[in-house]
Amino acid sequence: MNHLQISDLTVAYRVGGHTVPAVRGVDLTVPAGGKLGVAGESGCGKSTVALAVLRLLPANATVTGRVLLDGEDVLTMRWGRLRAVRWAGASIVFQGAMHSLNAVHRVGDQITEPILLHGKGAITPAVAERRAGDLLEQVGLPAHQAAAYPHELSGGQRQRVMIAMALACEPRLIIADEPTTALDVMIQAQILRLIDGLVTEHGIALMMISHDLSVLADTCDRLAVMYAGRVVEEGPARTVFATAVHPYAAALGAAFPTVGDPAARRAPRGLAGDPPDPAQLEGGCSFCPRCPRAVAECARVDPALRPAGPDRAAACILVPPGGPSPRSLRASAAEVPAAPEGRRR
């Protein structure tokens, strides 16, 4: 059974009298106990999709399509039902824990709050406090840290508190939106192992959002790559990371240098330019202006997702329906241009 099924999701924002499309016809599925990664550059619509799952978008957003949680459409739920689904049915681990936690409340109180609210009087404050302590220990923090304020904890500890909060009401789906942003490499690895272990242990469905394909390939079963508000490639995570068939997904994968490879250090690969402004999208493939393989037809045809090999799909007219050969995949990776001098890190 699919715990989360997103069908033809579109989100547009009203800005200054204009309608700006942020998400354009996205279809995603997360089965019960499954782990889906969503990747792409900033501005590609990843976080908008995450917020749409629990109707957390601002008032100037217009949303169409269907977002089914265990068969119920979140977009048509009454407010009372929606409040019950948030936390208990699905919860979110936001990026930037310091901005998500309340600075003037102890972290233990912030964990017990949803437990008491969703317990509807059946859970006493003492039981909720014990539950908060147990959750902190599950995420690798001592129970006495419940008495701490957010500013008294390190960045990694705050992120662990956010994960404990997400688990507080035993949800069936966790959405992790860039959960390791601004953390150092060692802490990032610890947080990722923690999330992966907890999801596996509790049988929770996971939707993880990141710009880092390597993180998603290590953590998730499947991977969807978004560009300009659309999914441009979807398939098994490690397969998409290693042998992407869409030129944009290939460029994201090639942007990661190989440790110990002098050539990768001297000539880092990447893409010049930035994703298109959603308010100025034109006809044709939205990736065409940055694509190293673009042909004349790409400027006229806006391709839809289509089968591109076993258990995967891509939105590119250059990808044959059966998927490219291994030789052409290697050639495509070689065509990804090196990052311009001004954009190298």
Side-chain angles (χ1 to χ4, degrees):
M1 178 179 181
N2 293 328
H3 181 61
L4 172 65
Q5 185 169 358
I6 300 173
S7 303
D8 196 24
L9 178 68
T10 64
V11 180
Y13 295 105
R14 297 182 299 277
V15 180
H18 301 282
T19 300
V20 179
V23 173
R24 304 182 294 147
V26 165
D27 298 321
L28 293 172
T29 297
V30 186
K35 295 177 283 188
L36 171 71
V38 182
E41 295 170 280
S42 296
C44 288
K46 310 184 301 298
S47 293
T48 295
V49 170
L51 295 175
V53 171
L54 289 177
R55 281 169 55 183
L56 295 173
L57 293 166
N60 68 330
T62 300
V63 186
T64 62
R66 294 198 305 170
V67 178
L68 302 181
L69 275 173
D70 283 340
E72 288 187 86
D73 192 347
V74 173
L75 302 184
T76 59
M77 284 180 182
R78 295 182 178 273
W79 280 110
R81 177 58 183 156
L82 181 61
R83 285 194 295 269
V85 166
R86 290 173 177 171
W87 290 98
S91 60
I92 296 182
V93 179
F94 293 102
Q95 58 178 302
M98 191 62 189
H99 300 99
S100 301
L101 294 170
N102 192 319
V104 299
H105 288 282
R106 300 179 191 275
V107 297
D109 295 336
Q110 298 182 60
I111 297 172
T112 59
E113 181 180 12
I115 297 174
L116 292 170
L117 287 174
H118 285 270
K120 298 180 180 178
I123 297 178
T124 65
V127 171
E129 288 176 11
R130 286 197 296 272
R131 168 74 173 153
D134 291 342
L135 287 167
L136 287 174
E137 291 181 348
Q138 283 187 42
V139 299
L141 292 175
H144 67 76
Q145 291 283 33
Y149 289 95
H151 71 273
E152 296 176 315
L153 303 176
S154 69
Q157 289 174 325
R158 287 194 292 266
Q159 201 62 48
R160 290 170 187 268
V161 171
M162 290 293 298
I163 296 170
M165 290 176 64
L167 293 169
C169 296
E170 300 180 341
R172 295 180 301 280
L173 169 70
I174 288 182
I175 302 169
D177 186 2
E178 300 277 10
T180 57
T181 296
L183 299 178
D184 64 65
V185 176
M186 295 297 292
I187 299 300
Q188 180 186 68
Q190 294 173 15
I191 295 297
L192 291 172
R193 284 197 301 270
L194 173 64
I195 292 175
D196 186 44
L198 290 171
V199 166
T200 301
E201 178 184 350
H202 294 278
I204 300 170
L206 172 69
M207 179 177 174
M208 179 178 286
I209 295 169
S210 177
H211 61 278
D212 191 330
L213 261 70
S214 62
V215 164
L216 298 178
D218 284 340
T219 307
C220 300
D221 307 320
R222 297 189 67 79
L223 176 61
V225 179
M226 291 188 65
Y227 187 80
R230 286 186 173 172
V231 175
V232 296
E233 183 165 350
E234 195 268 339
R238 291 184 180 273
T239 303
V240 172
F241 178 62
T243 57
V245 296
H246 191 281
Y248 176 65
L252 285 183
F256 298 95
T258 302
V259 176
D261 181 3
R265 184 177 66 252
R266 289 193 296 267
R269 295 187 176 274
L271 282 172
D274 298 295
D277 183 343
Q280 299 179 1
L281 289 174
E282 300 177 355
C285 175
S286 55
F287 185 59
C288 177
R290 303 173 73 193
C291 183
R293 299 173 56 201
V295 296
E297 189 178 359
C298 296
R300 300 190 300 269
V301 177
D302 189 7
L305 273 177
R306 63 177 183 177
D311 199 25
R312 63 197 302 190
C316 179
I317 63 171
L318 302 177
V319 178
S325 66
R327 179 178 299 177
S328 66
L329 285 171
R330 288 193 293 270
S332 298
E335 291 171 359
V336 176
E341 289 292 339
R343 296 178 63 86
R344 292 184 183 175
R345 296 180 180 178

